[in-house]
Amino acid sequence: VQLQASGGGLVQPGGSLRLSCVVSGLIFNSNTVSWHRQAPGKQRELVARITSGGLTNYAASVKGRFTISRDNTKNTVSLQMNSLKPEDTAVYFCSARRTYAATSYTDYWGQGTLVTVSS
């Protein structure tokens, strides 16, 4: 399983970025995919998640500003980030979960893409 993230960069506060992640090696449309981030000196945290059925949930800190979406025809999950703040600065990782049973699963991770919000 491979996940290839792209789209990070430097943006000014209030600006927008769109991250994309192409997933290969698993049946994409059957799996929950998500974005996480890790800021310097902090633990990795969930940013947004989308299930195979299209249900989404977001961290409180990004709700209303970020939108996660998936394109099952392209095996791609995207994260549209608007109204960016300096505290959004982090390395962003995409993840795909392969579920075997109710409590049995494997999480696969991409390599991360850096988002820097600064003037």
Side-chain angles (χ1 to χ4, degrees):
V1 178
Q2 291 188 327
L3 294 87
Q4 184 67 45
S6 62
L10 173 64
V11 62
Q12 292 187 340
S16 298
L17 276 178
R18 185 176 181 86
L19 306 182
S20 294
C21 178
V22 180
V23 182
S24 61
L26 51 71
I27 303 174
F28 181 76
N29 60 8
S30 298
N31 294 275
T32 292
V33 286
S34 54
W35 286 95
H36 304 247
R37 67 186 180 187
Q38 187 166 17
K42 295 188 176 181
Q43 289 189 329
R44 190 174 298 189
E45 62 175 354
L46 174 69
V47 175
R49 176 187 290 127
I50 184 166
T51 69
S52 58
L55 296 177
T56 59
N57 65 286
Y58 297 89
S61 59
V62 307
K63 194 171 292 186
R65 300 188 296 122
F66 290 11
T67 302
I68 189 171
S69 61
R70 64 191 297 160
D71 184 341
N72 291 334
T73 66
K74 298 180 179 179
N75 284 13
T76 299
V77 56
S78 299
L79 186 69
Q80 178 66 41
M81 305 185 295
N82 299 329
S83 302
L84 282 160
K85 305 175 181 179
E87 51 264 43
D88 294 318
T89 295
V91 177
Y92 284 70
F93 299 88
C94 58
S95 178
R97 173 166 291 185
R98 173 179 277 163
T99 301
Y100 307 101
T103 58
S104 176
Y105 57 83
T106 298
D107 286 332
Y108 300 93
W109 296 89
Q111 84 286 5
T113 185
L114 177 63
V115 173
T116 303
V117 185
S118 175
S119 55

